[in-house]
Amino acid sequence: MTSIRDLDPERDAEDVVELLFEAFPNGVFSRDAWLHRVRTIPERAQQAGWVAEAGGKVVGNGWAFRTFFSEGSTSAQCSVNVRASHRRRGIGGELYELVLAHLQALDATSAMVSFPESDSGVTFATARGFREERAEAESVLDPRTVEESSAPDVDLRAVADIDPHLAYEVDIGATRDMPATEVIDEIPYDEWVGHVLEYPFFTAEGSYVAMVDGVAAAVSLLIADEESGRGANMFTGTQRAYRGRGLGLAVKLASIAWAREHGITQIATRNDETNAPMLAINQRLGYRPAGRRVEYLRTLS
C-alpha cells in the first residue's frame, strides 16, 4: 500500500537521493548536498514537497516553488518523480495533483518542469498540458582522455585564490546571456554564496576564472565528488565583451585538469541546444552525448 505525505527533509533525504540517481543517472548527489539545496531555496519561493511511501521506503516525490531569481516573475518550478518499479499505479498522478494545488495557491501563471527526455516522462507531461519549451544537450567526459592544456598566456586563477566577488560578477554576467525559459535577472550575493560556494560538492580549487586587465572575463565552476569519481560542470561562461578569445575553453580545460588530477573519471554537463560555441568546445574536448534534458512549460492562467 502506498501513502502520500509532506516531505520531511531529514527523514527522507537518503531515499530521495536514491530516487534522484534513478531519475538523473549522470547526476552528482548526496544526502548533505540535497539537504543543502533544499535549505538554500529562499523563503520567498514558498517551496513545498511531498513523498509517496511504500513499505517504509520513498518511491516517489513531488515539489513546487515560485521562480525566485527573476524579478516580478509569476512562474513556478515543479517536478514529479516515481521509481520505475512503482509506475502505472497512479502515484505520479496523485503527487501531481498536490503540486498543481500548490501552484494554484501561489497564483502562478505558468509552471516549468525539467527532466531527462524519455517516452514515459514526455507522455506524463503532455497528458497534463505541458509542452516542450527548450532543450539542453547532456554530455559526459572522462577527463583522463583530455590531453589539451590551457593556453599559457591566459591569466587563470582558482576561485579559492581570488576575491569570490570576482567569480560572482562573471558568473552572473554570463548567466544573464544564457538561453533560458525564465531569464535570471539577479542573484543576491549572499544567496549566490549559499548556492555555489557553500554547496557541499563545489570545489573552489577546481573552479577557475580567466582575468583580463583586472576583469574576471570567464569562469568555469566545478562540482566534484572525489569518493565516487563523479563531477559536473556547474557553469561555464564568458562575459559578452570577452568572447571569441578562447577564454571559455581555457577555464574549462583548467577545471578538467584539476578533475583528472583528483581522481574524477566522469564530468557531466548540460548546454542549450542552440549554444553552438559551447557545444563546439565540448565536442573538441571529447564530451560524449548522453541524451536531452528538456524543459516543458504549462500555462496555468
Side-chain angles (χ1 to χ4, degrees), residues 12-64:
D12 298 326
E14 287 85 356
D15 284 353
V16 171
V17 167
E18 286 184 24
L19 183 61
L20 287 172
F21 272 120
E22 181 178 303
F24 304 93
N26 294 315
V28 183
F29 306 110
S30 73
R31 182 183 191 278
D32 289 345
W34 180 77
L35 284 171
H36 181 84
R37 275 286 177 255
V38 171
R39 292 165 180 160
T40 50
I41 292 178
E43 288 187 13
R44 66 181 180 277
Q46 296 178 264
Q47 177 183 207
W50 306 267
V51 294
E53 196 172 42
K57 186 84 170 175
V58 171
V59 297
N61 79 318
W63 52 258

Side-chain angles (χ1 to χ4, degrees), residues 261-284:
E261 293 164 5
H262 289 80
I264 303 301
T265 58
Q266 176 179 293
I267 300 175
T269 193
R270 307 196 318 264
N271 301 98
D272 188 275
E273 289 186 332
T274 66
N275 190 348
M278 189 54 69
L279 293 173
I281 287 176
N282 290 346
Q283 184 176 26
R284 170 177 172 172

Side-chain angles (χ1 to χ4, degrees), residues 1 13 72 90 95 114 120 129 132 135 152 221 229 232 236 255 278 284 292:
M1 181 177 178
L95 287 166
S114 174
S120 60
E132 183 178 323
L221 303 176
T236 302
S255 285
M278 189 54 69
R284 170 177 172 172
R292 298 174 84 222

